[in-house]
Amino acid sequence: PYLVMEFIEGTTLDKVLAVSGAGRAVTPRPIRESLDIAIQVADALDYAHHRNVIHRDIKPANILVTPDGKAKIADFGIAKMAGTTMTHTGLLVGTPAFMSPEQITGGQVDSRSDIFSFGIVLYWMCTGTKPFAGQAITEVAYKVVHAQPTPVSQLNAHLPHGMDAVLLRCLAKKADERYQTAHDLARDLENLKAVMIVGSAPQATTPRTAG
């Protein structure tokens, strides 16, 4: 027996988010570039979720980016089918810094957990920092469950208006208050990108009519 997998030329998102120096924050990517990647990942999550597959470990190390900017989700090693139970009670599965509150507390995990995890990734892409940073797993876990992150607009003034609302919804502690589908998240990200493109257009290309 043997396994055939697609070879993807490129690197992982955590390497794309290059560290600027030892102990210093990751440098935020250009926002339009980040939105391009984010939309692709959200679409990929929507594809998986519509086939009842929950990834459960969305993080930059599991997102591959090709030289031409194509993003692909990798490592479905701990993925599960929606509605099934695959882990023992009390077993923490995933990466704590990118887990949803229900993963940490042992609650019911569904596709909205992936959306929360991707919200953490997107926050990092936009600001160069993690929303729930800590020196120990227990500190990180406590913040994920109880703490509200600093609004991204306070950390990066170049973000489009509306990014705070998108991330606030992604990172809602209660699953019912998050985006219910990755499709809805992707559409909101596309709207933010469209606003940026219109806003950056030269004034001469948008003539006004009198009155």
Side-chain angles (χ1 to χ4, degrees):
Y2 60 92
L3 177 66
V4 178
M5 300 178 68
E6 177 187 7
F7 173 74
I8 300 174
E9 184 180 359
T11 187
T12 55
L13 183 58
D14 60 338
K15 293 180 180 177
V16 174
L17 298 170
V19 177
S20 59
R24 287 185 285 174
V26 173
T27 303
R29 303 296 299 173
I31 185 58
R32 284 174 63 177
E33 180 181 318
S34 294
L35 284 173
D36 280 336
I37 293 174
I39 291 166
Q40 293 178 65
V41 174
D43 282 336
L45 282 176
D46 186 59
Y47 183 91
H49 294 164
H50 269 83
R51 285 150 184 82
N52 295 320
V53 176
I54 305 166
H55 190 283
R56 299 200 297 171
D57 198 20
I58 294 296
K59 59 184 179 182
N62 286 339
I63 298 172
L64 301 175
V65 182
T66 68
D68 59 351
K70 302 298 183 183
K72 295 176 179 284
I73 299 175
D75 196 355
F76 280 77
I78 63 170
K80 62 173 286 187
M81 298 298 290
T84 64
T85 302
M86 296 174 58
T87 57
H88 298 290
T89 301
L91 181 62
L92 200 63
V93 178
T95 306
F98 296 94
M99 281 184 175
S100 65
E102 57 269 24
Q103 282 178 285
I104 288 176
T105 59
Q108 181 66 39
V109 173
D110 59 26
S111 60
R112 296 169 296 182
S113 293
D114 283 346
I115 291 174
F116 186 97
S117 297
F118 183 57
I120 297 176
V121 175
L122 182 57
Y123 188 104
W124 192 16
M125 292 169 67
C126 289
T127 67
T129 62
K130 297 176 184 176
F132 309 110
Q135 297 298 315
I137 291 178
T138 51
E139 181 183 1
V140 172
Y142 179 86
K143 289 183 177 180
V144 169
V145 176
H146 300 289
Q148 293 297 331
T150 302
V152 289
S153 59
Q154 295 182 22
L155 303 175
N156 186 347
H158 301 290
L159 295 173
H161 179 72
M163 184 62 80
D164 276 331
V166 168
L167 281 167
L168 184 65
R169 192 171 174 188
C170 286
L171 298 175
K173 304 301 183 186
K174 297 180 179 179
D176 288 344
E177 297 176 0
R178 292 175 209 149
Y179 285 98
Q180 298 302 289
T181 68
H183 173 82
D184 291 341
L185 169 58
R187 298 299 80 79
D188 276 1
L189 292 173
E190 287 180 342
N191 289 337
L192 289 181
K193 181 182 174 182
V195 169
M196 287 195 68
I197 293 173
V198 171
S200 62
Q203 292 297 317
T205 64
T206 54
R208 296 180 181 179
T209 57

